[in-house]
Amino acid sequence: MKQSAPLAAVVGITLALSVTGCTDPSVSATMKSIDSIGTVSIESKDAIDSANKQYDSLDKELKKEVENYAELKSANKRYDQLLYSEITKEISHSQEILSSYFAQQFDTKEIEAAKSDAQAALDASDTDGYYKVYKALKKADKELDTFIKDEMKKSYSMETYGGDNPFRLEESDLPQEWLFSPIKMQTSAHPSLVASRKEATDLPTYIYLYINNSSRKYTYELNQIPTKAIKVQDENGQMKTALVNTEVKFTAAFNQAANNDLNKELNERPAYFFARAKDSAIVLALQNYDGEDYYVLYTSGN
């Protein structure tokens, strides 16, 4: 005859189990997964997705036992906010690089489509689609970024402004006093110094292009022109390409008949200002005075 356990013992065991709380293993695993999310960042997607998947796999009653579910909800909300912010930044970056001169030489259909999809997702508050459009736009932006950087390495000049004339310099960018000398020694037919002088408040600033220590007075005018490429000689004597927008025209401020300047026609040829890519130095490019097909470069302090 089997002996039955005393009623008091059975009740005691039941109460003990109730007090210690036997948590279902799947609930424990879900709570542990939520705890592992930690501080939410743009890199938290896998951890959040894993916690969401585990929580969604629980039945209705077990879900009620997930004590840190509020943390999971908070993590999801924070991640959506971070994605929204990052997508907004990428859209802004896309617009910036698409305005680059070099983007004209790139097939931008992919980045334009990715930017449009990203904006549509934001407008529709499509949080489920945020990550996909973010990754697509980031990839497209990176490809154009890489192309632009590679192309910029080929140019001796640098982009200074956005818009239609990205390589331009404004009057305010130029030194108040000009003292431009060649970055590489040239023949005596070239100016050895291009200097400015303000002689009176009611007179324009005069420019002197000293050849063999002599120069007549010239005035100058800046004009912004469509981007053009010019061949220049760098400090090592190598031929490079500079992209320019700012044309400078020198005009004789003297009577040629009375004060003959043999270099007048050469000095009045179009010249250009640009910023040097390697150090942002302001560069004046004058056409070669020996008839060679390149521009001689001048800076203030080489």
Side-chain angles (χ1 to χ4, degrees):
M1 179 176 178
K2 294 183 180 179
Q3 293 183 343
S4 299
L7 179 59
V10 173
V11 172
I13 293 172
T14 303
L15 288 173
L17 289 173
S18 175
V19 170
T20 55
C22 278
T23 304
D24 188 286
S26 61
V27 172
S28 297
T30 300
M31 292 173 63
K32 185 176 180 181
S33 182
I34 293 172
D35 286 338
S36 71
I37 293 173
T39 302
V40 178
S41 71
I42 202 67
E43 307 301 327
S44 298
K45 175 176 170 53
D46 289 343
I48 293 175
D49 283 351
S50 177
N52 282 326
K53 184 177 180 180
Q54 290 186 60
Y55 180 80
D56 290 341
S57 69
L58 301 176
D59 63 32
K60 184 177 180 180
E61 292 304 316
L62 289 178
K63 284 179 178 179
K64 295 177 182 179
E65 297 182 26
V66 179
E67 298 174 356
N68 57 355
Y69 175 61
E71 295 176 18
L72 179 58
K73 287 180 64 178
S74 177
N76 278 304
K77 181 178 180 180
R78 176 60 181 150
Y79 191 66
D80 288 343
Q81 291 171 338
L82 283 175
L83 275 178
Y84 186 98
S85 177
E86 290 301 313
I87 293 170
T88 301
K89 290 178 184 176
E90 283 298 327
I91 290 174
S92 178
H93 183 59
S94 298
Q95 293 170 337
E96 179 183 347
I97 58 179
L98 282 169
S99 68
S100 168
Y101 168 81
F102 300 106
Q104 301 173 25
Q105 307 161 40
F106 187 82
D107 185 352
T108 61
K109 289 195 293 291
E110 181 180 347
I111 190 172
E112 292 283 9
K115 182 163 71 73
S116 177
D117 289 344
Q119 188 61 62
L122 294 186
D123 292 343
S125 297
D126 179 17
T127 55
D128 290 338
Y130 279 2
Y131 186 76
K132 181 179 179 180
V133 297
Y134 167 67
K135 295 298 288 187
L137 183 55
K138 193 170 182 67
K139 174 179 176 291
D141 279 354
K142 184 177 180 180
E143 290 175 354
L144 180 53
D145 269 327
T146 300
F147 176 80
I148 290 174
K149 289 176 182 176
D150 289 343
E151 290 300 306
M152 287 178 69
K153 290 177 183 177
K154 302 174 186 178
S155 176
Y156 193 77
S157 58
M158 63 180 284
E159 289 190 62
T160 49
Y161 294 91
D164 295 333
N165 299 309
F167 300 93
R168 75 183 184 276
L169 290 176
E170 304 290 354
E171 183 79 43
S172 58
D173 296 319
L174 304 182
Q176 189 170 6
E177 181 180 359
W178 294 18
L179 285 172
F180 288 96
S181 55
I183 66 172
K184 183 173 178 57
M185 187 178 294
Q186 303 294 323
T187 67
S188 60
H190 294 77
S192 58
L193 179 68
V194 180
S196 65
R197 185 186 304 165
K198 184 70 173 174
E199 300 178 353
T201 57
D202 58 342
L203 293 176
T205 297
Y206 291 117
I207 304 300
Y208 296 83
L209 297 96
Y210 289 100
I211 299 176
N212 294 318
N213 298 317
S214 177
S215 176
R216 300 294 186 188
K217 292 179 181 179
Y218 289 80
T219 57
Y220 76 95
E221 180 183 6
L222 298 183
N223 296 297
Q224 304 301 344
I225 63 172
T227 302
K228 67 177 292 185
I230 61 173
K231 184 164 67 173
V232 302
Q233 183 186 54
D234 71 9
E235 52 270 35
N236 299 313
Q238 301 298 312
M239 294 300 158
K240 299 290 179 66
T241 297
L243 298 168
V244 298
N245 288 123
T246 304
E247 179 187 75
V248 54
K249 294 291 292 289
F250 298 110
T251 303
F254 56 88
N255 188 315
Q256 175 71 345
N259 300 282
N260 185 43
D261 183 350
L262 298 178
N263 297 298
K264 178 178 179 293
E265 289 186 8
L266 296 176
N267 289 340
E268 290 186 332
R269 294 176 299 175
Y272 302 95
F273 274 117
F274 63 84
R276 186 162 56 188
K278 72 174 184 178
D279 57 6
S280 304
I282 304 300
V283 178
L284 172 63
L286 301 180
Q287 292 186 57
N288 185 281
Y289 280 64
D290 291 327
E292 299 290 337
D293 184 26
Y294 64 85
Y295 285 76
V296 176
L297 303 182
Y298 293 72
T299 63
S300 294
N302 305 324

